[in-house]
Amino acid sequence: MSFVSELSGNKVLDLRAPSLTQLRKRAGAIWLRKTTLIAVDGICLGFALEIAQAYNTSSNISLFEQNNSLFILSTIAIQICLIATQGLYEAGEKRRDYSNLTKTITFSYFLLILFEYLYLQNNFFPRETFVTAWLLSIAITCSGRFMVNTAIMRLRKQNLITCPTYLICSPQDKQKAIKLLDKQNCYNIVGWKNVDLIASSKGHLSATLDDIINQGVAEVFVCSWQSIQSRMYLYWKLRNAGVILHILPIELQAVEQRLELKMIGGIPILNFMPPTITGSDFWIKRYFDFCSSALFILFTSPIYLLIALLIKFDSPGPVFYKQTRIGLHGKSFQVWKFRTMVTNADALQKELEARNETKDGILFKIKDDPRITRIGNFLRRYSLDELPQLFNVLFGEMSLVGPRPLPVRDVQKFSDHHFIRQEVLPGITGLWQISGRSDILDFEKVIDLDKTYMENWSLSLDLQIILQTITVILEKKGAY
């Protein structure tokens, strides 16, 4: 049989041979988005030049004058090319990088004034017009971009221009992957398949590919790429169908800081870069903890005294409550709090265990706890009962930010993977506190938040958590 007849028949079995020639999925939508952004940028840049010329009567620049229009349009075209080289027309966060957009426009005006100085002798851009055009170009172009991005986000929230997406991962990674993709606000997950089933049988893989094609999926995310034995088969089938394949290392979901992607021998390598001076940020954190706690105690000592008096007048018993908690490396220490419960609260807890509302019973949380006093309810609502723990910070037993130290009763119920939170200094507040506090009833979610904090820790993250803690306290979220 001839070569032509072989191609025209049904005997083409090559893995790389597509059933038909077609555009990549959503190629039209991608180009429409890029064309829209380019058009908006061009209009905004031209509009900025016209406004600058209108406010300077000494300038003869006008987009509508034949003598100058070619130069002005060429200038706008060069600016758009510079913006494109920075990847600012790509999908995701890049097109919302207003800082880079500002730098690129500034650089284009630097090139413009350099060109005018070297080649133009008629003062084409007076100084006032140049400065005005530069500032207006930044302001109007960023505003135009913001309007386009806002419109896209609203359309995506209405599920009008989302990308049909398929997820292949293990059951334990499913919720993490869905949560991660949902944050992007552009993916519509239309199907999911257990990667273990695909790995065990090529029949399951073929059925999955049929499902992907029948649903018109545009992008596929695979979390456990190495688990799939027929990886090449999956790659070529998706490629020939015009479907984009993403390898999603879900285990790196929380690791974001100082992550670099490089290629070595054609293989992508993820590098975790330490700071130039290692260890300095941790000691800065400790100095900040000590100084902040000492100053706060000094200036708010009247508040401490007032709370102590209110507790004394409200119910009999001591002002402070101390409890043994488990801290760094499993070492026990005494946590100090303002007393918010009756004096025999610990003994009564055994009778209330049946009312525990947490999912796994590790933590002890119940609403309308009968042991809480009247003033204690107020103190807990605004987390004022935690103020004495600043002394624990001064003594080096705690930090302002970190995983919360838990009582011995809770730690005794830990599984092996829970003890990772004991490897860092415990804190007064943390991601757990700003993510719902007592509203989080699943301890595994608490562990995930603690691990996220540990893997992403930085001085700026600590500061963000402290500021958000103030907001959460004032709004009384998750406090009881």
Side-chain angles (χ1 to χ4, degrees), residues 169 171 192-205 208:
C169 65
W192 168 78
K193 183 65 69 173
N194 187 345
V195 69
D196 296 330
L197 293 177
I198 295 177
S200 63
S201 169
K202 193 173 180 179
H204 283 102
L205 178 56
T208 301

Side-chain angles (χ1 to χ4, degrees), residues 66-314:
Q66 186 175 1
N67 295 334
N68 300 325
S69 60
L70 181 61
F71 177 77
I72 297 300
L73 291 176
S74 299
T75 299
I76 295 174
I78 292 173
Q79 289 177 317
I80 290 176
C81 288
L82 289 173
I83 294 172
T85 58
Q86 296 299 310
L88 296 174
Y89 293 118
E90 300 300 323
E93 295 297 327
K94 285 189 175 181
R95 76 166 186 270
R96 294 187 286 270
D97 189 352
Y98 299 105
S99 175
N100 197 9
L101 180 61
T102 299
K103 293 177 183 178
T104 305
I105 294 175
T106 300
F107 179 70
S108 71
Y109 272 89
F110 170 77
L111 294 179
L112 180 61
I113 198 172
L114 182 63
F115 178 82
E116 180 188 9
Y117 176 77
L118 294 176
Y119 298 103
L120 300 180
Q121 305 298 326
N122 60 345
N123 194 25
F124 196 81
F125 270 115
R127 182 179 301 173
E128 296 82 1
T129 302
F130 178 84
V131 174
T132 304
W134 166 53
L135 295 176
L136 286 176
S137 293
I138 293 174
I140 296 177
T141 305
C142 288
S143 298
R145 276 290 184 102
F146 178 77
M147 292 174 64
V148 171
N149 290 328
T150 301
I152 291 175
M153 294 297 287
R154 289 184 176 179
L155 289 173
R156 283 176 173 172
K157 287 182 178 179
Q158 298 175 11
N159 205 27
L160 295 178
I161 55 174
T162 52
C163 174
T165 305
Y166 203 93
L167 183 62
I168 300 176
C169 65
S170 61
Q172 56 266 31
D173 290 336
K174 181 181 177 182
Q175 291 304 320
K176 292 181 181 180
I178 292 176
K179 185 178 180 181
L180 182 64
L181 296 178
D182 284 345
K183 287 182 179 179
Q184 306 305 311
N185 200 29
C186 62
Y187 297 110
N188 177 27
I189 301 177
V190 298
W192 168 78
K193 183 65 69 173
N194 187 345
V195 69
D196 296 330
L197 293 177
I198 295 177
S200 63
S201 169
K202 193 173 180 179
H204 283 102
L205 178 56
S206 298
T208 301
L209 289 169
D210 291 339
D211 190 27
I212 290 172
I213 294 172
N214 292 336
Q215 295 197 63
V217 172
E219 300 187 29
V220 172
F221 285 84
V222 179
C223 295
S224 302
W225 180 245
Q226 294 299 325
S227 300
I228 302 175
Q229 295 182 0
S230 303
R231 293 187 293 273
M232 190 58 65
Y233 180 81
L234 174 63
Y235 163 73
W236 276 106
K237 288 298 181 181
L238 293 178
R239 185 181 188 273
N240 292 337
V243 178
I244 300 174
L245 172 63
H246 300 277
I247 310 301
L248 180 63
I250 197 67
E251 67 274 7
L252 299 179
Q253 176 187 2
V255 182
E256 298 175 354
Q257 57 179 0
R258 297 188 177 272
L259 177 63
E260 295 181 359
L261 176 64
K262 292 184 178 180
M263 302 296 292
I264 297 181
I267 299 177
I269 303 295
L270 295 175
N271 298 326
F272 297 94
M273 300 298 294
T276 305
I277 303 176
T278 59
S280 59
D281 45 2
F282 176 77
W283 294 115
I284 293 174
K285 170 186 173 68
R286 291 301 302 136
Y287 294 144
F288 177 78
D289 285 346
F290 182 86
C291 295
S292 300
S293 301
L295 290 174
F296 189 89
I297 292 172
L298 178 64
F299 288 108
T300 60
S301 53
I303 297 178
Y304 280 74
L305 180 60
L306 176 61
I307 293 175
L309 292 174
L310 291 174
I311 293 174
K312 270 297 183 182
F313 290 143
D314 180 60

Side-chain angles (χ1 to χ4, degrees), residues 428-454:
I428 296 177
T429 186
L431 285 181
W432 177 12
Q433 281 63 47
I434 66 174
S435 302
R437 293 200 280 181
S438 296
D439 289 338
I440 300 178
L441 302 178
D442 186 353
F443 189 65
E444 291 301 326
K445 293 182 179 179
V446 175
I447 290 296
D448 288 341
L449 290 170
D450 289 340
K451 290 170 63 178
T452 298
Y453 170 76
M454 294 168 64

